[in-house]
Coordinates of all heavy atoms in Angstrom, one line a residue:
M171 N -1.0 -7.8 11.0 CA -1.4 -8.7 12.0 C -0.9 -10.2 11.5 O -0.6 -10.3 10.3 CB -2.9 -8.7 12.2 CG -3.7 -9.3 11.1 SD -5.5 -9.1 11.4 CE -5.7 -9.2 13.1
R172 N -1.0 -11.1 12.4 CA -0.6 -12.4 12.1 C -1.7 -13.4 12.4 O -2.3 -13.3 13.5 CB 0.7 -12.8 12.8 CG 1.2 -14.2 12.5 CD 2.4 -14.5 13.4 NE 3.6 -13.8 13.1 CZ 4.5 -14.3 12.2 NH1 4.3 -15.4 11.6 NH2 5.6 -13.6 12.0
R173 N -2.0 -14.3 11.6 CA -3.0 -15.3 11.9 C -2.5 -16.7 11.5 O -1.8 -16.9 10.5 CB -4.3 -15.0 11.1 CG -5.2 -14.1 11.8 CD -5.9 -14.7 12.9 NE -6.9 -13.8 13.5 CZ -6.7 -12.8 14.3 NH1 -5.4 -12.6 14.7 NH2 -7.6 -12.0 14.7
E174 N -2.9 -17.7 12.2 CA -2.7 -19.1 11.8 C -3.9 -19.7 11.3 O -5.0 -19.5 11.8 CB -2.2 -19.8 13.1 CG -1.8 -21.2 12.7 CD -1.2 -22.0 13.9 OE1 -2.0 -22.3 14.9 OE2 0.0 -22.3 13.9
F175 N -3.8 -20.4 10.2 CA -4.9 -21.1 9.6 C -4.6 -22.6 9.6 O -3.5 -23.1 9.5 CB -5.0 -20.7 8.1 CG -5.3 -19.2 7.9 CD1 -4.2 -18.3 7.9 CD2 -6.6 -18.8 7.8 CE1 -4.5 -17.0 7.8 CE2 -6.9 -17.4 7.7 CZ -5.8 -16.5 7.7
H176 N -5.7 -23.4 9.8 CA -5.5 -24.9 9.8 C -5.9 -25.2 8.3 O -6.9 -24.8 7.8 CB -6.5 -25.6 10.7 CG -6.2 -25.3 12.1 ND1 -4.9 -25.6 12.6 CD2 -6.9 -24.9 13.2 CE1 -4.9 -25.3 13.9 NE2 -6.1 -24.9 14.3
I177 N -5.1 -26.1 7.7 CA -5.4 -26.5 6.3 C -5.6 -28.0 6.2 O -4.7 -28.8 6.8 CB -4.2 -26.0 5.4 CG1 -4.1 -24.5 5.5 CG2 -4.5 -26.4 4.0 CD1 -2.9 -23.9 4.8
K178 N -6.6 -28.4 5.6 CA -6.8 -29.8 5.3 C -6.7 -30.1 3.8 O -7.1 -29.3 3.1 CB -8.2 -30.2 5.8 CG -8.4 -30.4 7.3 CD -9.8 -31.0 7.5 CE -10.2 -30.9 9.0 NZ -11.6 -31.2 9.2
G179 N -6.1 -31.2 3.5 CA -6.1 -31.7 2.1 C -4.7 -31.6 1.5 O -4.6 -32.1 0.4
M180 N -3.7 -31.1 2.2 CA -2.4 -31.2 1.7 C -1.9 -32.6 1.7 O -2.0 -33.3 2.7 CB -1.4 -30.2 2.5 CG -1.7 -28.8 2.4 SD -0.4 -27.8 3.0 CE -0.6 -28.0 4.8
H181 N -1.3 -33.1 0.6 CA -0.8 -34.5 0.6 C 0.7 -34.5 0.3 O 1.2 -35.6 0.3 CB -1.6 -35.3 -0.4 CG -1.7 -34.6 -1.8 ND1 -0.7 -34.6 -2.6 CD2 -2.7 -34.0 -2.3 CE1 -1.1 -33.9 -3.7 NE2 -2.4 -33.5 -3.6
C182 N 1.3 -33.4 0.1 CA 2.8 -33.5 0.0 C 3.3 -32.1 0.1 O 2.6 -31.1 0.2 CB 3.2 -34.1 -1.4 SG 2.8 -33.1 -2.8
E183 N 4.6 -32.0 0.1 CA 5.3 -30.7 0.3 C 5.0 -29.7 -0.7 O 4.9 -28.5 -0.4 CB 6.8 -30.9 0.4 CG 7.6 -29.8 1.1 CD 7.3 -29.7 2.5 OE1 7.4 -30.7 3.2 OE2 7.0 -28.6 2.9
S184 N 4.8 -30.1 -1.9 CA 4.5 -29.2 -3.0 C 3.1 -28.5 -2.8 O 2.9 -27.4 -3.3 CB 4.7 -29.8 -4.4 OG 3.7 -30.7 -4.6
C185 N 2.2 -29.2 -2.1 CA 0.9 -28.5 -1.8 C 1.2 -27.3 -1.0 O 0.6 -26.2 -1.1 CB 0.0 -29.5 -1.1 SG -0.6 -30.9 -2.0
A186 N 2.1 -27.4 0.0 CA 2.4 -26.3 0.9 C 3.0 -25.2 0.2 O 2.7 -24.1 0.4 CB 3.3 -26.9 2.0
V187 N 3.9 -25.6 -0.8 CA 4.6 -24.5 -1.6 C 3.5 -23.8 -2.4 O 3.6 -22.6 -2.5 CB 5.7 -25.2 -2.5 CG1 6.2 -24.1 -3.5 CG2 6.8 -25.7 -1.6
E188 N 2.6 -24.5 -3.0 CA 1.6 -24.0 -3.9 C 0.7 -23.0 -3.1 O 0.5 -21.8 -3.5 CB 0.7 -25.1 -4.4 CG -0.3 -24.6 -5.4 CD -1.3 -25.7 -5.9 OE1 -1.5 -26.6 -5.1 OE2 -1.7 -25.6 -7.0
I189 N 0.3 -23.4 -1.9 CA -0.4 -22.5 -1.0 C 0.3 -21.2 -0.6 O -0.2 -20.2 -0.7 CB -0.9 -23.3 0.3 CG1 -1.9 -24.3 -0.2 CG2 -1.6 -22.3 1.2 CD1 -2.3 -25.3 0.9
R190 N 1.6 -21.5 -0.2 CA 2.4 -20.3 0.1 C 2.5 -19.3 -1.0 O 2.4 -18.1 -0.8 CB 3.8 -20.8 0.6 CG 4.8 -19.7 1.0 CD 6.0 -20.1 1.5 NE 6.8 -20.9 0.7 CZ 7.5 -20.5 -0.4 NH1 7.6 -19.2 -0.7 NH2 8.2 -21.3 -1.2
E191 N 2.8 -19.8 -2.2 CA 2.9 -18.9 -3.3 C 1.6 -18.1 -3.6 O 1.6 -17.0 -4.0 CB 3.4 -19.7 -4.6 CG 4.8 -20.1 -4.5 CD 5.3 -20.9 -5.6 OE1 4.4 -21.4 -6.4 OE2 6.5 -21.2 -5.7
Q192 N 0.5 -18.9 -3.5 CA -0.8 -18.2 -3.6 C -1.0 -17.1 -2.7 O -1.5 -16.1 -3.0 CB -1.9 -19.3 -3.5 CG -3.3 -18.7 -3.5 CD -3.9 -18.5 -4.9 OE1 -3.2 -18.0 -5.8 NE2 -5.2 -18.8 -5.0
L193 N -0.7 -17.4 -1.4 CA -0.9 -16.4 -0.4 C 0.1 -15.2 -0.6 O -0.3 -14.0 -0.4 CB -0.6 -17.0 1.0 CG -1.7 -18.0 1.5 CD1 -1.3 -18.8 2.7 CD2 -3.1 -17.4 1.6
E194 N 1.3 -15.5 -0.9 CA 2.3 -14.4 -1.0 C 2.1 -13.6 -2.2 O 2.6 -12.4 -2.3 CB 3.7 -15.0 -0.9 CG 4.1 -15.5 0.5 CD 5.6 -15.8 0.7 OE1 6.2 -16.1 -0.3 OE2 6.0 -15.7 1.8
T195 N 1.3 -14.0 -3.2 CA 1.0 -13.1 -4.3 C -0.3 -12.4 -4.1 O -0.8 -11.7 -4.9 CB 1.0 -13.9 -5.6 OG1 0.0 -15.0 -5.5 CG2 2.3 -14.5 -6.0
T196 N -0.9 -12.6 -3.0 CA -2.2 -11.9 -2.6 C -1.9 -10.5 -2.1 O -1.0 -10.4 -1.2 CB -3.0 -12.7 -1.6 OG1 -3.3 -14.0 -2.1 CG2 -4.3 -12.0 -1.2
A197 N -2.5 -9.5 -2.6 CA -2.3 -8.1 -2.1 C -2.5 -8.1 -0.6 O -3.6 -8.6 -0.1 CB -3.2 -7.2 -2.9
G198 N -1.7 -7.4 0.1 CA -1.8 -7.2 1.5 C -1.0 -8.3 2.4 O -0.9 -8.0 3.5
V199 N -0.6 -9.3 1.7 CA 0.1 -10.4 2.4 C 1.6 -10.0 2.5 O 2.2 -9.8 1.4 CB -0.1 -11.8 1.9 CG1 0.8 -12.8 2.5 CG2 -1.6 -12.2 2.0
L200 N 2.1 -10.0 3.7 CA 3.5 -9.6 3.9 C 4.4 -10.9 3.8 O 5.5 -10.9 3.3 CB 3.8 -8.9 5.2 CG 2.8 -7.7 5.3 CD1 2.9 -7.2 6.7 CD2 3.1 -6.6 4.3
K201 N 3.9 -11.9 4.5 CA 4.7 -13.1 4.6 C 3.7 -14.3 4.8 O 2.8 -14.2 5.6 CB 5.6 -13.0 5.8 CG 6.7 -14.1 5.9 CD 7.7 -13.7 7.0 CE 8.9 -14.7 6.9 NZ 8.6 -16.0 7.0
A202 N 4.1 -15.4 4.3 CA 3.3 -16.6 4.5 C 4.2 -17.8 4.7 O 5.2 -18.0 4.0 CB 2.4 -16.9 3.3
D203 N 3.9 -18.6 5.8 CA 4.7 -19.8 6.0 C 3.7 -20.9 6.1 O 2.8 -20.9 6.9 CB 5.4 -19.7 7.4 CG 6.8 -19.0 7.2 OD1 7.5 -19.4 6.3 OD2 7.0 -18.2 8.1
V204 N 3.8 -21.9 5.2 CA 2.9 -23.0 5.2 C 3.7 -24.3 5.6 O 4.7 -24.6 5.1 CB 2.2 -23.2 3.8 CG1 1.2 -24.4 3.9 CG2 1.6 -22.0 3.3
N205 N 3.1 -25.0 6.6 CA 3.8 -26.1 7.2 C 3.0 -27.3 6.9 O 1.9 -27.6 7.4 CB 3.8 -25.9 8.7 CG 4.6 -27.0 9.4 OD1 4.5 -28.2 9.1 ND2 5.5 -26.7 10.3
Y206 N 3.5 -28.2 6.0 CA 2.8 -29.3 5.5 C 2.6 -30.3 6.6 O 1.5 -30.8 6.9 CB 3.6 -30.0 4.3 CG 3.2 -31.4 4.1 CD1 1.9 -31.7 3.6 CD2 4.1 -32.5 4.2 CE1 1.5 -32.9 3.4 CE2 3.7 -33.8 4.0 CZ 2.4 -34.0 3.5 OH 2.0 -35.3 3.3
G207 N 3.7 -30.6 7.4 CA 3.6 -31.5 8.5 C 2.6 -31.1 9.6 O 1.8 -31.9 10.1
G208 N 2.6 -29.9 9.9 CA 1.8 -29.3 10.9 C 0.3 -28.9 10.4 O -0.5 -28.6 11.2
K209 N 0.1 -29.0 9.1 CA -1.1 -28.6 8.5 C -1.6 -27.3 8.9 O -2.8 -27.0 9.1 CB -2.2 -29.6 8.9 CG -2.0 -31.1 8.5 CD -3.2 -31.9 8.8 CE -3.2 -33.3 8.2 NZ -2.6 -34.3 9.2
T210 N -0.6 -26.3 8.9 CA -1.0 -25.0 9.2 C -0.3 -24.0 8.3 O 0.6 -24.3 7.6 CB -0.4 -24.6 10.7 OG1 1.0 -24.8 10.7 CG2 -1.2 -25.4 11.7
A211 N -0.9 -22.8 8.3 CA -0.3 -21.7 7.5 C -0.2 -20.5 8.5 O -1.2 -20.2 9.2 CB -1.1 -21.3 6.3
N212 N 1.0 -19.9 8.6 CA 1.1 -18.7 9.4 C 1.2 -17.5 8.4 O 2.1 -17.5 7.6 CB 2.3 -18.8 10.3 CG 2.0 -19.2 11.7 OD1 1.4 -18.5 12.5 ND2 2.3 -20.5 12.0
V213 N 0.3 -16.6 8.5 CA 0.3 -15.5 7.6 C 0.3 -14.2 8.2 O -0.4 -13.9 9.2 CB -1.0 -15.6 6.7 CG1 -0.9 -14.6 5.5 CG2 -1.2 -17.0 6.1
E214 N 1.3 -13.4 7.8 CA 1.4 -12.0 8.3 C 0.8 -11.1 7.2 O 1.2 -11.2 6.0 CB 2.9 -11.7 8.5 CG 3.2 -10.7 9.5 CD 4.7 -10.5 9.7 OE1 5.4 -11.5 9.8 OE2 5.1 -9.4 9.7
F215 N -0.2 -10.3 7.5 CA -0.8 -9.5 6.5 C -1.3 -8.2 7.1 O -1.4 -8.0 8.3 CB -2.0 -10.3 5.9 CG -3.1 -10.7 6.9 CD1 -4.2 -10.0 7.0 CD2 -2.9 -11.9 7.7 CE1 -5.2 -10.3 7.9 CE2 -3.9 -12.2 8.6 CZ -5.1 -11.5 8.7
D216 N -1.5 -7.2 6.2 CA -2.1 -6.0 6.5 C -3.6 -6.1 6.5 O -4.2 -6.2 5.4 CB -1.6 -4.9 5.5 CG -2.1 -3.6 5.8 OD1 -2.9 -3.4 6.7 OD2 -1.5 -2.6 5.2
D217 N -4.3 -6.0 7.6 CA -5.7 -6.2 7.7 C -6.5 -5.0 7.1 O -7.7 -5.1 7.1 CB -6.2 -6.7 9.0 CG -5.9 -5.7 10.1 OD1 -5.1 -4.7 9.8 OD2 -6.5 -5.8 11.2
A218 N -5.8 -4.0 6.7 CA -6.5 -2.9 6.1 C -6.7 -3.2 4.6 O -7.4 -2.5 3.9 CB -5.7 -1.5 6.3
V219 N -5.9 -4.1 4.1 CA -5.9 -4.5 2.7 C -6.6 -5.8 2.4 O -7.3 -5.9 1.5 CB -4.4 -4.5 2.2 CG1 -4.4 -4.9 0.7 CG2 -3.7 -3.2 2.4
V220 N -6.3 -6.8 3.2 CA -6.9 -8.1 3.0 C -7.4 -8.7 4.3 O -6.9 -8.4 5.4 CB -5.8 -9.0 2.4 CG1 -4.6 -9.3 3.3 CG2 -6.4 -10.3 1.8
Q221 N -8.5 -9.4 4.2 CA -9.1 -10.0 5.4 C -8.9 -11.5 5.5 O -8.7 -12.2 4.4 CB -10.6 -9.7 5.4 CG -10.8 -8.1 5.6 CD -12.2 -7.8 5.6 OE1 -13.1 -8.4 5.0 NE2 -12.6 -6.8 6.3
E222 N -9.1 -12.0 6.6 CA -8.9 -13.5 6.9 C -9.7 -14.3 5.9 O -9.3 -15.3 5.4 CB -9.3 -13.9 8.3 CG -8.3 -13.5 9.3 CD -8.9 -13.4 10.7 OE1 -9.8 -14.2 11.0 OE2 -8.5 -12.5 11.5
K223 N -11.0 -13.9 5.8 CA -11.9 -14.6 4.9 C -11.4 -14.7 3.5 O -11.7 -15.7 2.8 CB -13.3 -14.1 5.1 CG -13.6 -12.7 4.6 CD -15.0 -12.3 4.8 CE -15.2 -10.9 4.4 NZ -16.4 -10.3 4.7
T224 N -10.8 -13.7 3.0 CA -10.2 -13.6 1.7 C -9.1 -14.6 1.6 O -8.9 -15.4 0.6 CB -9.7 -12.2 1.3 OG1 -10.7 -11.3 1.6 CG2 -9.2 -12.2 -0.1
L225 N -8.3 -14.7 2.6 CA -7.2 -15.7 2.6 C -7.7 -17.1 2.7 O -7.2 -18.0 1.9 CB -6.3 -15.4 3.8 CG -5.6 -14.0 3.9 CD1 -4.8 -13.8 5.1 CD2 -4.8 -13.7 2.7
V226 N -8.7 -17.3 3.4 CA -9.4 -18.7 3.5 C -9.8 -19.0 2.1 O -9.6 -20.1 1.6 CB -10.5 -18.7 4.5 CG1 -11.4 -19.9 4.3 CG2 -10.0 -18.6 5.9
K227 N -10.5 -18.1 1.4 CA -11.0 -18.3 0.1 C -9.9 -18.6 -0.9 O -10.0 -19.5 -1.7 CB -11.8 -17.1 -0.4 CG -12.4 -17.2 -1.7 CD -13.9 -16.9 -1.8 CE -14.5 -17.4 -3.0 NZ -13.7 -17.5 -4.3
K228 N -8.8 -17.9 -0.8 CA -7.7 -18.1 -1.7 C -7.2 -19.6 -1.5 O -6.8 -20.3 -2.5 CB -6.5 -17.2 -1.3 CG -6.7 -15.8 -1.8 CD -6.4 -15.6 -3.2 CE -6.6 -14.1 -3.6 NZ -6.3 -14.0 -5.1
I229 N -7.1 -20.1 -0.3 CA -6.7 -21.5 -0.1 C -7.7 -22.4 -0.6 O -7.4 -23.4 -1.2 CB -6.4 -21.7 1.4 CG1 -5.3 -20.7 1.9 CG2 -6.0 -23.1 1.7 CD1 -5.1 -20.7 3.4
Q230 N -9.0 -22.1 -0.4 CA -10.1 -23.0 -0.8 C -10.1 -23.1 -2.4 O -10.4 -24.1 -2.9 CB -11.4 -22.5 -0.3 CG -11.6 -22.8 1.2 CD -12.8 -22.2 1.7 OE1 -13.4 -21.3 1.2 NE2 -13.2 -22.6 2.9
D231 N -9.8 -21.9 -3.0 CA -9.8 -21.9 -4.5 C -8.8 -22.9 -5.0 O -8.9 -23.4 -6.2 CB -9.4 -20.5 -5.0 CG -10.6 -19.6 -4.8 OD1 -11.7 -20.0 -4.6 OD2 -10.3 -18.3 -5.0
L232 N -7.7 -23.3 -4.3 CA -6.7 -24.2 -4.7 C -7.2 -25.7 -4.5 O -6.6 -26.6 -4.8 CB -5.4 -24.0 -4.0 CG -4.7 -22.7 -4.4 CD1 -3.5 -22.6 -3.5 CD2 -4.2 -22.7 -5.8
G233 N -8.3 -25.8 -3.7 CA -8.8 -27.2 -3.5 C -8.6 -27.7 -2.1 O -8.7 -28.9 -1.9
Y234 N -8.2 -26.8 -1.2 CA -7.9 -27.3 0.2 C -8.9 -26.6 1.2 O -9.5 -25.6 0.9 CB -6.5 -26.8 0.7 CG -5.4 -27.3 -0.3 CD1 -4.9 -26.4 -1.2 CD2 -5.0 -28.6 -0.3 CE1 -3.9 -26.8 -2.1 CE2 -4.0 -29.0 -1.2 CZ -3.5 -28.1 -2.1 OH -2.6 -28.5 -3.0
Q235 N -9.1 -27.3 2.3 CA -10.0 -26.7 3.3 C -9.2 -25.9 4.3 O -8.1 -26.3 4.7 CB -10.7 -27.8 4.1 CG -11.8 -28.5 3.4 CD -12.4 -29.5 4.3 OE1 -12.9 -29.2 5.3 NE2 -12.5 -30.8 3.8
A236 N -9.7 -24.7 4.6 CA -8.9 -23.8 5.5 C -9.9 -23.2 6.6 O -11.0 -22.8 6.2 CB -8.2 -22.7 4.7
T237 N -9.3 -23.1 7.7 CA -10.1 -22.5 8.8 C -9.1 -21.6 9.6 O -7.9 -22.0 9.7 CB -10.8 -23.5 9.8 OG1 -9.8 -24.4 10.2 CG2 -11.9 -24.2 9.1
V238 N -9.6 -20.6 10.2 CA -8.8 -19.7 11.0 C -8.6 -20.4 12.3 O -9.5 -20.9 13.0 CB -9.4 -18.3 11.2 CG1 -8.5 -17.4 12.1 CG2 -9.7 -17.7 9.9
A239 N -7.3 -20.5 12.8 CA -7.1 -21.1 14.1 C -7.6 -20.2 15.2 O -7.7 -18.9 15.0 CB -5.6 -21.3 14.3
D240 N -8.0 -20.8 16.3 CA -8.6 -20.0 17.4 C -7.8 -18.9 18.1 O -8.3 -17.9 18.3 CB -9.1 -21.0 18.5 CG -10.3 -21.8 18.0 OD1 -11.0 -21.4 17.0 OD2 -10.4 -23.0 18.5
E241 N -6.6 -19.3 18.4 CA -5.8 -18.4 19.2 C -5.4 -17.2 18.3 O -4.6 -17.4 17.3 CB -4.5 -19.0 19.8 CG -4.8 -20.3 20.5 CD -4.2 -21.5 19.7 OE1 -4.7 -21.7 18.6 OE2 -3.3 -22.0 20.2
P242 N -5.8 -16.0 18.6 CA -5.3 -14.8 17.8 C -4.0 -14.3 18.2 O -3.6 -14.5 19.4 CB -6.4 -13.8 18.1 CG -7.0 -14.2 19.4 CD -6.7 -15.6 19.6
Q243 N -3.2 -13.8 17.3 CA -2.0 -13.1 17.6 C -0.9 -14.0 18.2 O 0.0 -13.5 18.8 CB -2.2 -11.9 18.5 CG -3.2 -10.9 18.0 CD -2.6 -10.1 16.8 OE1 -1.5 -10.2 16.5 NE2 -3.5 -9.5 16.0
R244 N -1.0 -15.2 18.0 CA 0.0 -16.1 18.6 C 1.2 -16.1 17.7 O 1.1 -16.2 16.5 CB -0.5 -17.5 18.8 CG 0.3 -18.3 19.7 CD -0.1 -19.7 19.7 NE 0.0 -20.3 18.3 CZ 0.1 -21.6 18.1 NH1 -0.1 -22.5 19.0 NH2 0.2 -22.0 16.9
E245 N 2.4 -15.9 18.3 CA 3.6 -15.8 17.5 C 3.9 -17.3 17.1 O 3.7 -18.2 17.8 CB 4.7 -15.2 18.3 CG 4.6 -13.8 18.5 CD 4.6 -13.0 17.1 OE1 5.4 -13.2 16.3 OE2 3.7 -12.2 17.0
A246 N 4.5 -17.4 15.9 CA 4.9 -18.7 15.4 C 6.0 -19.2 16.4 O 6.9 -18.5 16.8 CB 5.4 -18.6 14.0
R247 N 5.9 -20.5 16.7 CA 6.9 -21.1 17.6 C 8.0 -22.0 16.9 O 8.6 -22.8 17.5 CB 6.2 -22.0 18.6 CG 5.5 -21.2 19.6 CD 4.8 -22.0 20.6 NE 3.7 -21.4 21.2 CZ 2.7 -22.1 21.9 NH1 2.8 -23.4 22.0 NH2 1.7 -21.5 22.4
G248 N 8.1 -21.8 15.6 CA 9.0 -22.6 14.9 C 8.4 -23.9 14.5 O 7.5 -24.4 15.2
A249 N 9.0 -24.5 13.5 CA 8.3 -25.8 13.0 C 8.8 -26.9 13.8 O 9.8 -27.1 14.3 CB 8.8 -26.0 11.5
Ligands
CU321 CU1 0.8 -32.1 -2.9

């Protein structure tokens, strides 16, 4: 499944890279795209292995605020 997260607290491009790497090394995550300008993360993951709240926590552990975006299953529309 795919979910979009809103992220607060990123202050440069390397924040986005750090979050993406953290997500992509999480078990169950297939792909993560973090958009610094858009303050969002699009994450494709296997929900049998990892849950949204775990992904939120992973982002929070790095010091950023994360919330799940409202619209479920929305396909990424490009940056
Ligand atoms: Cu930064």
Side-chain angles (χ1 to χ4, degrees):
M171 76 184 327
R172 181 189 285 271
R173 275 286 188 276
E174 185 175 67
F175 299 85
H176 293 307
I177 301 176
K178 279 188 196 167
M180 291 193 286
H181 49 74
C182 67
E183 199 66 53
S184 67
C185 293
V187 172
E188 184 185 30
I189 293 168
R190 178 172 60 75
E191 287 175 351
Q192 170 83 321
L193 292 171
E194 287 192 333
T195 54
T196 300
V199 173
L200 307 171
K201 188 173 192 305
D203 275 313
V204 182
N205 185 317
Y206 165 61
K209 299 190 173 88
T210 56
N212 265 287
V213 188
E214 210 177 310
F215 60 98
D216 182 347
D217 61 346
V219 179
V220 67
Q221 296 180 326
E222 286 161 32
K223 62 183 178 191
T224 306
L225 300 176
V226 166
K227 177 129 197 330
K228 287 277 180 183
I229 298 169
Q230 287 173 342
D231 284 348
L232 292 173
Y234 308 99
Q235 288 183 53
T237 51
V238 180
D240 292 334
E241 311 113 293
Q243 302 293 343
R244 199 186 60 161
E245 288 299 313
R247 285 181 208 163

